[in-house]
Amino acid sequence: MTWVVGITGGIGCGKTAASDYLAAKGIIVVDSDQVARQVVEPGQPAWRAIVDHFGAHQVLLPDQQLNRAWLRTRVFEQPEERLWLEQQTHPAIRQQTQQQLAQASSPYAILASPLLFESGQQALVQRTLVIDLPESLQLQRASQRDGNSEEQIRRIMNAQLSREERLQQADDVVNNAGSLANLQQQLDDLHQQYLALAAQASPSPSPSPSPSPSPSPK
């Protein structure tokens, strides 16, 4: 079984910077956001359910892809719609995620997920790593990156665990309030720990059976 680290954190905390850095070291990363896009590609069962529920004229772009900006606004303004959407997508996301993790060939694998704890995906990993920021800096970075308003970012934050709840559930924490070099230095130390833990968890190869002794000549 693949030994897996789950990386999570609130919006703007630097999850992607962390997982990209470890991917550059040869570690396979399964990104739940990318999996979530795959399960709502045109023609997929979840895509059909979403189109039927919201109406093609609102939720589809001319190329038949989902209008993610419209959908994101809708579900964060109406929590009951967000819950409905999660019911349609989370089972398929979980199945695809498990398949991709099982196929990972690196010494350990990473599941990068903004909703690792909220969606129950921590059950798929052996260790959890939270990339952490003070909320004021989180708001600033998310706004600069996405160009969203503070109100919209706060809506997304409110749909996620609070910083305190996330930290309570973490096995490991990286403070990303400093420079990129500082983030990478912390990840270097954890990478070595994860390599060692994954090696310990790997089953030892069974010893080859000893050859049977040749019968003594009579």
Side-chain angles (χ1 to χ4, degrees):
M1 185 179 73
T2 309
W3 198 85
V4 184
V5 177
I7 293 184
T8 192
I11 181 174
C13 283
K15 299 179 298 296
T16 301
S19 59
D20 284 353
Y21 182 67
L22 293 171
K25 293 178 175 291
I27 301 303
I28 299 297
V29 175
V30 176
D31 187 320
S32 69
D33 282 344
Q34 292 182 7
V35 176
R37 291 187 185 95
Q38 293 166 5
V39 302
V40 293
E41 285 291 318
Q44 293 294 321
W47 176 88
R48 295 184 185 279
I50 292 167
V51 173
D52 289 344
H53 183 77
F54 292 108
H57 66 288
Q58 292 193 104
V59 79
L60 287 184
L61 297 170
D63 64 358
Q64 300 299 295
Q65 295 286 341
L66 294 179
N67 186 336
R68 297 180 183 280
W70 180 90
L71 188 58
R72 186 184 305 114
T73 300
R74 178 67 174 264
V75 300
F76 281 111
E77 286 178 349
Q78 301 184 28
E80 69 278 6
E81 295 284 38
R82 178 172 60 85
L83 291 174
W84 179 89
L85 183 64
E86 289 173 353
Q87 290 170 357
Q88 308 310 307
T89 58
H90 281 186
I93 291 170
R94 188 182 183 90
Q95 182 182 21
Q96 287 278 355
T97 299
Q98 287 177 302
Q99 289 177 357
Q100 292 185 27
L101 289 172
Q103 294 167 0
S105 57
S106 50
Y108 67 92
I110 288 169
L111 171 57
S113 174
L115 299 176
L116 184 76
F117 300 124
E118 295 90 331
S119 64
Q121 288 180 327
Q122 76 269 28
L124 304 178
V125 310
Q126 282 68 52
R127 195 152 183 103
T128 59
L129 168 60
V130 165
I131 311 301
D132 183 52
L133 274 184
E135 288 187 0
S136 59
L137 193 52
Q138 187 181 349
L139 277 166
Q140 177 186 330
R141 291 188 182 177
S143 179
Q144 290 173 346
R145 184 193 66 186
D146 300 333
N148 291 331
S149 67
E150 180 176 324
E151 180 185 359
Q152 188 170 10
I153 294 168
R154 285 194 180 277
R155 255 194 236 116
I156 295 171
M157 290 171 65
N158 290 337
Q160 299 176 333
L161 285 182
S162 70
R163 182 187 182 196
E164 292 73 20
E165 291 171 316
R166 195 180 296 116
L167 291 174
Q168 286 174 359
Q169 297 193 50
D171 294 314
D172 302 308
V173 177
V174 163
N175 185 327
N176 192 25
S179 65
L180 179 61
N182 181 258
L183 170 68
Q184 293 175 347
Q185 183 178 16
Q186 295 175 76
L187 291 171
D188 284 338
D189 293 339
L190 286 170
H191 175 60
Q192 294 304 318
Q193 292 180 36
Y194 296 153
L195 288 172
L197 288 168
Q200 291 172 10
S202 297
S204 301
S206 301
S208 301
S210 301
S212 300
S214 302
S216 301
K218 294 183 179 179

